[in-house]
């Protein structure tokens, strides 16, 4: 469920992974001369012991995970009207 949206620059959505976790994800993008700076925030709560384990693993590789977002965000920003 999208809870906030500013075309081409910002989105916040609620997510639930049944039996694992629930919360919100916020992404705000700032165009740069070359590329984009993305500010990403997760506010998640584990719903079970399995969810807690999954969130801890996610936190451990958070920087690596964000690196995967970079090319996707840049592509989206380059195709969005300004």
């Amino acid at each position: 469920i999208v809870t906030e949206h500013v075309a081409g620059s910002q989105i916040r959505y609620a997510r639930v992974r049944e039996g694992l976790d629930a919360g919100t994800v916020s992404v705000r993008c700032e165009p740069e001369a070359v590329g984009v700076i993305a500010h990403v925030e997760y506010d998640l709560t584990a719903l079970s012991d399995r969810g807690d384990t999954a969130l801890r693993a996610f936190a451990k590789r958070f920087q690596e995970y964000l690196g995967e977002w970079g090319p996707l965000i840049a592509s989206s920003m380059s195709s969005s009207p300004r």
Side-chain angles (χ1 to χ4, degrees):
I1 298 172
V2 174
T3 62
E4 184 178 351
H5 179 256
V6 177
S9 66
Q10 185 172 322
I11 191 164
R12 179 187 316 254
Y13 61 91
R15 77 173 208 188
V16 176
R17 295 190 315 160
E18 188 175 341
L20 293 176
D21 59 61
T24 59
V25 180
S26 301
V27 181
R28 182 174 51 86
C29 297
E30 294 179 43
E32 290 285 302
V34 177
V36 174
I37 294 178
H39 304 272
V40 181
E41 181 179 312
Y42 287 80
D43 186 5
L44 302 172
T45 300
L47 302 176
S48 64
D49 289 342
R50 195 169 128 233
D52 184 62
T53 299
L55 285 180
R56 289 179 190 277
F58 175 72
K60 278 181 130 174
R61 70 175 285 266
F62 185 69
Q63 292 303 317
E64 176 186 344
Y65 181 71
L66 287 182
E68 295 168 5
W69 278 55
L72 298 171
I73 292 169
S75 174
S76 174
M77 292 294 290
S78 67
S79 64
S80 293
R82 304 212 188 229

